[in-house]
Amino acid sequence: MKLSAETVLELKEKMNRFNEWEFSYIRQLSAEERSNQFVELFELGMQCDAETIERAHKEHMEQFIRFAAVGKT
């Protein structure tokens, strides 16, 4: 999959905006809310078998790798 330089820049800008939003959202949460969010995600993960978790993690990381590779072309 080959993306134009313009498309890569647009994707990077969107990613940066999302990261900024996520950071500001997290700062607005209290320590208790952040802890509750972590516990909920942890409990959700505990409901999945190790193979499902590993597959989801691999798929998630592959997207980062693809995006990083596109930026270098």
Side-chain angles (χ1 to χ4, degrees):
M1 170 198 230
K2 198 159 196 167
L3 300 175
S4 70
E6 182 179 320
T7 301
V8 171
L9 288 175
E10 289 175 10
L11 290 171
K12 285 184 177 184
E13 287 175 12
K14 287 180 182 180
M15 184 177 69
N16 286 338
R17 284 195 306 271
F18 172 80
N19 289 340
E20 289 171 8
W21 170 84
E22 183 180 36
F23 182 70
S24 67
Y25 171 76
I26 290 171
R27 282 192 316 203
Q28 294 173 14
L29 297 176
S30 68
E32 182 179 1
E33 289 170 321
R34 286 192 302 272
S35 295
N36 289 341
Q37 188 178 55
F38 172 81
V39 169
E40 288 175 15
L41 290 171
F42 180 81
E43 289 175 349
L44 178 65
M46 294 301 291
Q47 295 175 11
C48 300
D49 60 60
E51 183 180 326
T52 301
I53 293 171
E54 183 64 28
R55 186 176 64 246
H57 178 70
K58 182 180 176 188
E59 290 171 2
H60 180 70
M61 294 308 294
E62 285 174 350
Q63 295 303 315
F64 285 121
I65 292 166
R66 282 190 194 117
F67 184 76
V70 166
K72 294 180 181 181
T73 59

